[in-house]
Amino acid sequence: QVQVVESGGGLVQPGRSLRLSCAASGSIFRIYDMGWYRQAPGKQRELVADISSGGSTNYVDSVKGRFTISRDNAENTVYLQMNNLKPEDTAVYYCHADVLSRVLRRMDYWGQGTQVIVSS
């Protein structure tokens, strides 16, 4: 059994920062890619950023230069540092982990989501 739990969301004013955290736990042998997705009301879920086990990163164009994804492999944790937040960043943010379990089953796991609201 694997659990993925996000934290760090909240209500902030434009231009401020938030740091999201996501910790995976349970029967984990290895985690490959980890990432953050977001979904705004009435819109399709989109990839915000992801990071491979080797540290390679990708970002959606709208957050480049403002967001930074990182991970701590020893703690099975991924972070998303969000700077200079804009109202259009408002969404529910979901953590994703590509997990190889201890029974050697590879599966995608998702957190329940953490809400980010950027508003003045």
Side-chain angles (χ1 to χ4, degrees):
Q1 189 75 19
V2 174
Q3 293 182 332
V4 178
V5 180
E6 307 103 328
S7 63
L11 172 64
V12 297
Q13 294 181 328
R16 302 297 295 271
S17 298
L18 282 175
R19 182 175 172 86
L20 305 183
S21 299
C22 170
S25 61
S27 184
I28 298 170
F29 184 79
R30 179 186 176 94
I31 302 179
Y32 297 99
D33 187 74
M34 301 185 77
W36 291 94
Y37 293 71
R38 67 186 180 187
Q39 187 166 25
K43 296 185 178 180
Q44 189 173 352
R45 182 177 297 188
E46 67 173 351
L47 174 68
V48 180
D50 63 7
I51 182 168
S52 73
S53 59
S56 298
T57 60
N58 292 292
Y59 299 91
V60 67
D61 286 345
S62 60
V63 309
K64 288 180 178 178
R66 299 188 298 120
F67 291 10
T68 302
I69 188 170
S70 60
R71 64 189 287 173
D72 184 340
N73 291 332
E75 298 295 330
N76 293 324
T77 301
V78 64
Y79 305 94
L80 186 67
Q81 178 67 43
M82 304 186 294
N83 297 328
N84 191 24
L85 283 160
K86 302 177 179 180
E88 51 263 43
D89 296 318
T90 297
V92 177
Y93 285 70
Y94 297 91
C95 179
H96 167 262
D98 179 4
V99 176
L100 181 66
S101 74
R102 291 175 181 173
V103 296
L104 302 183
R105 181 177 297 275
R106 190 165 178 174
M107 189 77 68
D108 292 326
Y109 290 92
W110 293 87
Q112 292 184 318
T114 185
Q115 186 165 243
V116 173
I117 300 175
V118 185
S119 176
S120 59

